[in-house]
Amino acid sequence: QVQLVESGGALVQSGGSLRLSCVVSGIIFINFNMGWFRQAPGKERQLVAWITSGGYTHYNDSVKGRFTISRDNAKKTVYLQMSSLRPDDTAVYYCNAKYGKVWSNNWGQGPQVTVSS
């Protein structure tokens, strides 16, 4: 019954910055890991970054050093701060929640991020 509402997608130029937000409801937020995924046309969905219930962060090598995931437990919101954007970051981005070994199958709205050359 997790509900996810993402926002923040936009068209930006290479080298620009963007912040995505995901407001979460329907779960005990502090007990869940949170992650950001992305999917480009013709490609599989890829896990970009995740943050544990304890606040520890992990990143795909393709975004390490450029993206930062964070969470605000009081606001039940997870963020993805993206900087130094590149055209290959272009994708639809999704947030999701995980308890234990399984990600929720209730994917939220996917903001489109487009990075122009």
Side-chain angles (χ1 to χ4, degrees):
Q1 65 270 34
V2 59
Q3 299 173 37
L4 307 160
V5 181
E6 304 106 324
S7 62
L11 170 65
V12 298
Q13 293 185 343
S14 295
S17 297
L18 199 62
R19 187 180 73 170
L20 305 181
S21 300
C22 177
V23 179
V24 182
S25 61
I27 61 173
I28 304 174
F29 181 71
I30 59 173
N31 291 340
F32 283 75
N33 301 329
M34 297 297 304
W36 284 97
F37 297 75
R38 67 186 181 188
Q39 187 168 27
K43 292 189 174 182
E44 296 182 351
R45 185 184 293 121
Q46 176 188 57
L47 179 60
V48 175
W50 69 102
I51 182 168
T52 71
S53 59
Y56 298 98
T57 58
H58 309 267
Y59 299 92
N60 186 288
D61 284 344
S62 65
V63 306
K64 190 175 297 183
R66 301 187 298 118
F67 290 13
T68 301
I69 188 171
S70 62
R71 65 193 294 161
D72 185 330
N73 289 334
K75 296 180 179 179
K76 295 184 177 182
T77 301
V78 60
Y79 304 94
L80 186 67
Q81 178 66 51
M82 304 180 290
S83 62
S84 301
L85 284 163
R86 306 191 295 239
D88 60 358
D89 294 319
T90 296
V92 177
Y93 284 71
Y94 304 90
C95 69
N96 210 340
K98 183 176 75 171
Y99 184 82
K101 300 175 67 176
V102 296
W103 293 97
S104 171
N105 199 39
N106 289 352
W107 298 95
Q109 182 265 333
Q112 173 71 51
V113 174
T114 301
V115 185
S116 62
S117 301

